[in-house]
Amino acid sequence: MPFLGQDWRSPGWRWVKTEDGWKRCEPFSPALEDGNNQLNDISHTVILTGDDEDEEIYGTEDCEFAAKKMKKDHFRNNTDSQCFYREKWIYVHKESTKERHGYCTLGEAFNRLDFSSAIQDIRRFNYVVKLLQLIAKSQLTSLSGAAQKNYFNILDKIVQKVMEDQYNPRLIKDLLQDLSSTLCILIRGVGKSVLVGNINIWICRLETILLWQQQLKNLQMNKQVNNGLTLSDLPLHMLNNILYRFSDGWDIITLGQVTPTLYMLSEDRQLWKKLCQYHFAEKQFCRHLIPSEKGHIDWKLMYFALQKYYPIKEQYGDTLHFCRHCSILFWKDTGHPCTASDPNTCLMPVSPQHFIDLFKF
């Protein structure tokens, strides 16, 4: 809930959700307070050496400006600055008001919603990757310097997570492919399109992306030694039930490459028919009927053909939510200090594309 302080010009109190409700917390964490104390101690011990090699010790008043500047540099250069905010929500406003000056930006949203930690949550990983992929396709030219820095820091952490855990490398490969393609077009058309920042910085970033792509290409999956029950030991009806749980055709094809039995189950016409019916309306796939040699409908080919023409349904374990009453964007499990009588009626799930639209001005 914004602006609960007595002065309307203040940034308001910070609140934490507990079992007993929302409670007010201190503005800074103990770790940051310790950092402030260390920086404050510098003002008493600053030593400057002149040309005459005489040491001159300045007092608190003389070093006040230098200490403030060092504090700013400390927080600006701190790689953990994205965890500065305890609350994981942001007030979305698109114009200046008496209470708020300016408007929220995409770079600020990266920090306040803590995307760096979100990628460590398996429920949010796909959501964040999809969001970065949409930004790579259409919003790179509009990113500010701070947003660019946050974007590539998050991207670097995603790549490192995939390299360490081998989790969903296909998804990050698609992201890097879209990002490299967009950057190649923008760099070649320098002078015709607007890229915030020096062109040499973007060239270095493109080289880094190409290096990541090569590392993912050479990625070797770790073989897990397990003497217990394996996937191949499950009955056919259980394996078939697992395949019916997938919502992505490429995941079905990948699983079908594990064993001959899974390949046979992954080629089931009924499986691909259910997948088409889940993602697309009947009018849509009736326009693109693809008969097989035996005269039956080839539902597998239809799925990939329809995927080119129509967007498929997106599924995520956890998504951002928007409160229409408070105009606050937040992760659902962390919540926000809502003032509505019935907060659940004000919540609206936010897709990755909707998230980008919220920050278009």
Side-chain angles (χ1 to χ4, degrees):
M1 175 179 177
F3 304 112
L4 295 180
Q6 296 180 358
D7 188 351
W8 62 267
R9 294 167 297 181
S10 71
W13 301 110
R14 289 182 173 84
W15 296 81
V16 176
K17 188 176 183 181
T18 64
E19 295 180 355
D20 300 328
W22 289 91
K23 291 186 178 181
R24 195 177 71 195
C25 66
E26 296 298 328
F28 301 99
S29 63
L32 292 175
E33 289 179 354
D34 294 341
N36 286 339
N37 294 334
Q38 293 177 1
L39 291 172
N40 287 332
D41 293 339
I42 297 177
S43 60
H44 300 280
T45 58
V46 174
I47 299 178
L48 299 179
T49 303
D51 296 336
D52 54 356
E53 297 183 357
D54 293 331
E55 295 182 349
E56 183 177 359
I57 303 178
Y58 291 85
T60 304
E61 295 180 358
D62 297 330
C63 298
E64 182 178 358
F65 176 78
K68 288 182 178 180
K69 186 176 185 302
M70 294 182 69
K71 287 182 183 180
K72 292 181 180 179
D73 294 339
H74 171 74
F75 289 112
R76 185 182 297 112
N77 297 327
N78 187 6
T79 56
D80 297 331
S81 61
Q82 292 182 341
C83 300
F84 178 80
Y85 301 99
R86 286 186 177 182
E87 62 273 9
K88 302 295 188 299
W89 52 265
I90 182 172
Y91 179 79
V92 180
H93 55 110
K94 296 187 177 183
E95 58 184 7
S96 297
T97 63
K98 183 179 180 181
E99 292 80 11
R100 290 183 177 270
H101 177 68
Y103 51 84
C104 56
T105 62
L106 196 59
E108 184 183 2
F110 283 152
N111 276 344
R112 296 295 296 267
L113 296 172
D114 198 11
F115 279 6
S116 294
S117 299
I119 62 174
Q120 303 301 328
D121 190 333
I122 192 173
R123 300 170 303 164
R124 301 175 181 174
F125 182 84
N126 291 0
Y127 183 91
V128 176
V129 172
K130 181 63 176 180
L131 176 60
L132 297 187
Q133 190 173 16
L134 292 176
I135 293 176
K137 291 180 178 180
S138 60
Q139 299 296 316
L140 276 183
T141 56
S142 61
L143 292 181
S144 64
Q148 292 174 23
K149 183 178 180 181
N150 292 335
Y151 180 92
F152 283 95
N153 282 341
I154 296 171
L155 184 59
D156 180 41
K157 292 182 179 181
I158 290 177
V159 174
Q160 298 307 320
K161 176 179 175 58
V162 174
M163 295 296 296
E164 294 173 1
D165 302 340
Q166 291 88 37
Y167 177 74
N168 209 341
R170 178 175 58 83
L171 193 63
I172 188 61
K173 286 180 181 179
D174 294 340
L175 166 59
L176 293 179
Q177 181 61 39
D178 292 336
L179 184 57
S180 61
S181 300
T182 303
L183 276 183
C184 287
I185 296 174
L186 293 176
I187 291 175
R188 290 173 184 173
V190 62
K192 299 179 182 179
S193 61
V194 178
L195 271 175
V196 178
N198 192 295
I199 189 63
N200 294 324
I201 296 178
W202 286 100
I203 293 177
C204 291
R205 287 171 176 168
L206 178 59
E207 293 176 350
T208 303
I209 293 171
L210 296 177
L211 177 61
W212 285 339
Q213 288 179 311
Q214 187 62 37
Q215 291 176 348
L216 290 173
K217 184 178 180 181
N218 299 331
L219 179 63
Q220 298 292 332
M221 296 296 179
N222 296 330
K223 294 184 178 180
Q224 298 182 358
V225 179
N226 188 0
N227 297 326
L229 188 67
T230 63
L231 187 65
S232 302
D233 298 326
L234 296 177
L236 288 179
H237 72 277
M238 294 186 66
L239 294 175
N240 197 42
N241 192 22
I242 291 174
L243 287 170
Y244 271 85
R245 300 291 179 178
F246 285 102
S247 60
D248 191 332
W250 284 110
D251 290 336
I252 295 176
I253 293 177
T254 303
L255 185 59
Q257 295 174 351
V258 177
T259 63
T261 302
L262 287 171
Y263 175 77
M264 177 191 66
L265 295 175
S266 67
E267 293 294 318
D268 182 26
R269 291 179 60 254
Q270 190 66 21
L271 171 65
W272 290 97
K273 180 180 179 180
K274 291 289 185 182
L275 197 61
C276 289
Q277 291 175 340
Y278 172 76
H279 286 289
F280 311 107
E282 185 177 355
K283 293 182 180 180
Q284 293 175 338
F285 58 75
C286 284
R287 298 174 185 175
H288 304 275
L289 292 177
I290 303 177
S292 62
E293 297 179 356
K294 298 181 180 180
H296 302 293
I297 299 175
D298 194 330
W299 293 103
K300 181 178 179 180
L301 290 179
M302 273 195 60
Y303 170 81
F304 291 104
L306 292 171
Q307 196 176 23
K308 298 178 181 179
Y309 296 101
Y310 309 105
I312 62 176
K313 291 182 180 180
E314 299 177 353
Q315 283 188 333
Y316 304 103
D318 188 18
T319 64
L320 289 171
H321 280 67
F322 182 74
C323 179
R324 293 187 294 267
H325 177 77
C326 305
S327 297
I328 286 179
L329 191 65
F330 63 99
W331 294 106
K332 187 176 181 180
D333 60 346
T334 58
H336 75 290
C338 187
T339 58
S341 57
D342 189 2
N344 292 330
T345 61
C346 306
L347 302 185
M348 178 180 63
V350 177
S351 66
Q353 183 59 54
H354 186 198
F355 175 88
I356 295 176
D357 295 338
L358 286 174
F359 294 93
K360 285 183 179 179
F361 305 106

